[in-house]
Amino acid sequence: ACAPLWSQQCGTSVFSSGRCVQLDQELQLVATMAPTAQRCSTFMDIVVVLDGSNSIYPWEEVQAFLGNVLARFFIGPGQTQVGVLQYGEHLVEEWALGQHPTAQSLLEAARNLTRQEGRETRTAMAIREAWWDWGGIGVGLGRDWGGTGAG
């Protein structure tokens, strides 16, 4: 007997809204079977807005923090994608959503991320740009940020 047969797999977790069981002639439970699992299209898109100004130091701690946070997600196509925007005086796209398709590639990029530096910290500008340009559903990082001077 099955009721309803729908599951969704996100990363290594399977979420089932129903269950299948094998019953004997007296309708007693004999075994439980997993229903068919379906994969998520994309578990999550994460855009990190990172302060790379001179007010943040030591930079190695920022790199370690970023790596520790990102290591907790299932990175890959159809799972979690991460993009990073770094700001100081200007906003710079460090990498686009999906640019690093494996956790290993993403963590290596986080370890090798260099600080932009600069005398000004334009936090509001960076958050506004990230929200307006990349906050929409299905929108990915891909724009050349050049030297956005707004803020």
Side-chain angles (χ1 to χ4, degrees), residues 64-149:
F65 173 78
L66 184 61
N68 287 337
V69 169
L70 298 179
R72 305 203 185 294
F73 295 100
F74 299 104
I75 305 298
Q79 294 188 47
T80 302
Q81 302 178 99
V82 178
V84 171
L85 301 172
Q86 184 184 163
Y87 69 94
E89 292 182 29
H90 304 286
L91 191 59
V92 175
E93 178 186 305
E94 294 293 347
W95 63 78
L97 288 171
Q99 182 176 337
H100 294 284
T102 66
Q104 180 180 358
S105 170
L106 183 68
L107 295 176
E108 182 68 23
R111 277 191 296 275
N112 292 322
L113 190 63
T114 58
R115 181 168 56 173
Q116 180 187 357
E117 299 187 356
R119 295 182 315 266
E120 296 181 31
T121 302
R122 296 185 172 182
T123 307
M125 177 268 304
I127 292 171
R128 183 175 54 247
E129 292 281 343
W131 173 258
W132 285 109
D133 290 341
W134 309 117
I137 295 172
V139 176
L141 296 173
R143 173 177 153 190
D144 178 10
W145 286 90
T148 303

Side-chain angles (χ1 to χ4, degrees), residues 6-82:
W6 184 81
S7 293
Q8 188 169 353
Q9 180 179 355
C10 297
T12 59
S13 300
V14 176
F15 302 96
S16 299
S17 60
R19 118 183 190 181
C20 293
V21 295
Q22 182 180 357
L23 304 173
D24 65 15
Q25 290 182 353
E26 296 175 0
L27 300 178
Q28 297 299 312
L29 180 65
V30 174
T32 301
M33 298 164 278
T36 303
Q38 300 174 2
R39 293 192 56 84
C40 301
S41 58
T42 295
F43 185 62
M44 194 177 341
D45 287 342
I46 300 171
V47 177
V48 177
V49 181
L50 187 63
D51 184 349
S53 69
N54 286 342
S55 64
I56 303 299
Y57 59 91
W59 185 248
E60 294 76 23
E61 289 184 17
V62 174
Q63 292 169 306
F65 173 78
L66 184 61
N68 287 337
V69 169
L70 298 179
R72 305 203 185 294
F73 295 100
F74 299 104
I75 305 298
Q79 294 188 47
T80 302
Q81 302 178 99
V82 178

